[in-house]
Amino acid sequence: MSSIFYKVIFEGAKEDSSDSYSLTFKDIFSDNPIQIPSRFFTTLRVSNQKESNIVHFQNIKEVIKIGNPSIKIEINYYIAILYTNLNDGKKEGFLVGNIKNMGDILIGEWPYNEKNVSNSKDIYLQKLELLTNSSKFDNICVIYPLK
């Protein structure tokens, strides 16, 4: 089984010499997909009005899937969630894909290493739940596709 990666390309700032930036997320989609609760993004939007450490913006220019997936899925759009963990100061992130008839599914994580491979569905759901309680995280960015 080969590894799948998602290269997310973000639009660069007009004042910047580079026209784009990218992050590469490791695929975590499995036979038992991790569905994002429907209230998750709404809760983050409401928290954004109360907290100054949550930012929402549109900046995903393109997502390139790298590798040979064993399961062919069609993703309608992607959402990247980036944040800083206050416990250790590490920057982390998730990639969410919207799949027809399934909704928003957690499909990737950043950064990735061999330790992350053993993470369970419960660990990912716990992190997502903690994101809605932003006292554990800082610099939360929810990045949507460009229109």
Side-chain angles (χ1 to χ4, degrees):
M1 181 175 154
S2 65
S3 295
I4 308 296
F5 297 92
Y6 298 92
K7 184 173 184 174
V8 180
I9 301 171
F10 302 99
E11 182 78 27
K14 290 182 180 165
E15 308 83 39
D16 197 350
S17 60
S18 176
D19 63 348
S20 64
Y21 295 92
S22 68
L23 287 177
T24 303
F25 292 78
K26 169 94 170 81
D27 180 66
I28 58 174
F29 187 81
S30 66
D31 295 335
N32 189 12
I34 302 169
Q35 189 158 16
I36 306 295
S38 59
R39 69 186 190 290
F40 177 75
F41 290 107
T42 304
T43 303
L44 281 179
R45 273 209 192 277
V46 170
S47 296
N48 182 33
Q49 295 169 355
K50 298 175 188 172
E51 308 278 334
S52 61
N53 68 337
I54 302 174
V55 178
H56 296 262
F57 57 95
Q58 295 174 312
N59 198 14
I60 296 177
K61 184 176 176 179
E62 180 182 11
V63 177
I64 301 169
K65 190 184 261 188
I66 302 167
N68 189 10
S70 58
I71 302 172
K72 300 285 186 202
I73 56 170
E74 187 174 321
I75 297 177
N76 298 319
Y77 59 84
Y78 297 89
I79 301 170
I81 305 166
L82 305 174
Y83 57 91
T84 303
N85 191 326
L86 289 176
N87 291 337
D88 55 15
K90 290 183 180 177
K91 295 182 186 313
E92 300 176 355
F94 291 118
L95 184 63
V96 174
N98 180 273
I99 301 171
K100 187 175 182 177
N101 299 327
M102 292 179 77
D104 292 332
I105 304 294
L106 189 60
I107 61 169
E109 70 178 324
W110 172 87
Y112 50 89
N113 58 40
E114 292 305 314
K115 292 178 195 172
N116 295 12
V117 173
S118 62
N119 281 349
S120 71
K121 181 177 181 174
D122 291 335
I123 290 173
Y124 290 123
L125 288 173
Q126 181 182 24
K127 277 190 177 182
L128 287 170
E129 188 62 35
L130 286 173
L131 276 171
T132 59
N133 175 8
S134 61
S135 64
K136 304 268 188 216
F137 300 100
D138 196 18
N139 303 322
I140 300 170
C141 295
V142 181
I143 309 168
Y144 299 93
L146 289 169
K147 288 189 176 187

